[in-house]
Amino acid sequence: MSILVYTEINKGRVKKASLECVNYAAKIAQMLNTKVTALVNNADEAQMEEIGKAGASKILSMKNEKLSTDSVMLTAAMEKAVSEEQATIIIFSADIVGKAVAPRLSARLKAGLVAGAVDYPQINGTSFEVKKNVFSGKATAMYAINSELKIISLLPNSFPVILSDNQASVSEFAPDLSGSISRITIKEIKTTISGGTVPLPEAELVVSAGRGLKGPENWKIVEELATELGATTACSRPVADMHWRPHHEHVGQTGVAIRPNLYIAIGISGAIQHLAGVNGSKTIVVINNDKEAPFFKSADYGVIGDAFTIVPKLTEAIRKFKAHQN
């Protein structure tokens, strides 16, 4: 029996969400007195070393260019890895890849699946229960997995990443996947983030804005604040629908769900659909000139006033603070 984790490389680095998954698996492995195996594709020695430091005892290293764009092929690779490692628990991040592969693997293995876990499982004898958010994050529920094989996907930024001096053994893994190629043809891949920017699901600091900015030409103040904080930018749905900002920056129930340490909302009223995607944020700061804006009810800190006055002053204050620290 072992725990299998899918880990992903993005822009030359192990994704933070993947390291969270390895840490999470290592915690379960301690409970069950077992080991963690990580499957990774196209990783170099330094990246595999980092996966080992996150808690993996063994790494299955694949070299397959098609794997990163073909969820059917990746599902087959994971299925073969489960068989080879005799894994009984499989861990994914609840990101685009996890949402595509985990349900497929669940169906093929007849494994119970809990998607979007937010806590470590409660294990007591044969009882195995996992907590996840329900009703757009307004409540949590415990899901019991009764099948022999269990699959869990984790909401990014729900768990800390802790690295140790642990080292993992590395084995080449090259299963025959010739009969598992998807009929979907990838014609073009457009990156949804600019160089150096952390993807929204993994971002710990997010600066977001809505229609209160009045137009795309005013977004400079948002970007300047984000730059000083080292944050990722986001927006509300109306802003994306009006093409002020690209759709991949849309956060909310119908966009990207995020759980940053800090979420700054500028000129966003806080409709329930938006709150559903950001209410997992550790700290929410709302800047709005409407004191009746619903978002203030969910905010940890609220600033009532004109964003065009407040945001530049906040940016300048942060700039001065950083200069003083240096």
Side-chain angles (χ1 to χ4, degrees):
M1 182 181 77
S2 68
I3 301 173
L4 180 66
V5 184
Y6 174 66
T7 52
E8 191 175 356
I9 307 298
N10 183 45
K11 290 198 169 185
R13 301 181 62 182
V14 184
K15 288 184 68 173
K16 178 177 177 287
S18 292
L19 295 176
E20 290 182 42
C21 289
V22 177
N23 269 180
Y24 183 90
K27 181 78 170 181
I28 301 176
Q30 289 180 348
M31 299 179 193
L32 300 176
N33 193 28
T34 187
K35 301 291 185 181
V36 176
T37 298
L39 175 70
V40 66
N41 186 45
N42 294 328
D44 60 26
E45 185 175 337
Q47 292 159 353
M48 289 189 283
E49 182 180 351
E50 188 174 21
I51 293 171
K53 288 181 178 180
S57 300
K58 180 179 180 181
I59 295 174
L60 299 179
S61 176
M62 296 190 68
K63 302 292 182 184
N64 190 322
E65 293 298 330
K66 293 183 179 180
L67 211 62
S68 59
T69 58
D70 194 321
S71 56
V72 172
M73 184 177 287
L74 179 54
T75 302
M78 287 294 292
E79 183 178 16
K80 292 179 185 296
V82 168
S83 177
E84 180 167 310
E85 296 299 309
Q86 295 185 322
T88 55
I89 300 173
I90 304 100
I91 309 293
F92 291 91
S93 173
D95 54 15
I96 293 174
V97 174
K99 290 175 181 178
V101 177
R104 284 185 168 96
L105 190 63
S106 173
R108 292 176 73 152
L109 296 177
K110 294 181 172 57
L113 166 64
V114 173
V118 296
D119 202 353
Y120 296 102
Q122 295 183 11
I123 305 171
N124 185 10
T126 58
S127 174
F128 192 102
E129 297 184 338
V130 183
K131 181 187 288 187
K132 66 169 289 182
N133 291 336
V134 293
F135 301 118
S136 300
K138 297 185 185 68
T140 59
M142 296 298 295
Y143 284 72
I145 307 179
N146 299 315
S147 56
E148 180 182 358
L149 300 182
K150 302 169 176 62
I151 301 176
I152 305 171
S153 67
L154 314 181
L155 283 182
N157 272 346
S158 295
F159 303 90
V161 173
I162 301 172
L163 303 180
S164 67
D165 57 359
N166 181 70
Q167 294 182 338
S169 63
V170 179
S171 299
E172 297 297 324
F173 186 59
D176 180 13
L177 303 175
S178 58
S180 304
I181 299 175
S182 172
R183 295 178 181 178
I184 298 174
T185 301
I186 306 296
K187 292 187 176 181
E188 182 182 6
I189 298 177
K190 293 183 178 180
T191 57
T192 58
I193 56 173
S194 58
T197 303
V198 179
L200 267 173
E202 297 185 22
E204 296 186 2
L205 305 173
V206 176
V207 177
S208 184
R211 283 181 291 185
L213 267 288
K214 300 181 180 179
E217 67 278 2
N218 296 321
W219 227 261
K220 184 178 179 181
I221 63 171
V222 178
E223 293 171 335
E224 287 177 344
L225 176 58
T227 298
E228 290 302 321
L229 288 171
T232 299
T233 56
C235 68
S236 61
R237 177 170 179 171
V239 166
D241 287 346
M242 290 185 290
H243 305 292
W244 292 2
R245 299 297 292 176
H247 275 282
H248 68 259
E249 289 192 0
H250 163 211
V251 293
Q253 187 174 39
T254 56
V256 181
I258 58 174
R259 299 173 64 85
N261 293 334
L262 173 64
Y263 180 69
I264 300 178
I266 304 167
I268 300 175
S269 62
I272 189 170
Q273 292 87 350
H274 186 81
L275 286 172
V278 303
N279 59 9
S281 305
K282 281 69 172 179
T283 302
I284 297 177
V285 177
V286 172
I287 301 172
N288 203 303
N289 60 6
D290 178 9
K291 64 180 181 180
E292 301 298 329
F295 219 153
F296 283 121
K297 296 179 182 179
S298 302
D300 296 285
Y301 300 94
V303 182
I304 300 172
D306 185 0
F308 296 102
T309 301
I310 294 168
V311 174
K313 287 184 177 180
L314 178 59
T315 303
E316 184 59 28
I318 294 169
R319 189 177 291 124
K320 289 180 178 179
F321 177 79
K322 289 167 64 178
H324 179 71
Q325 292 294 102
N326 294 333

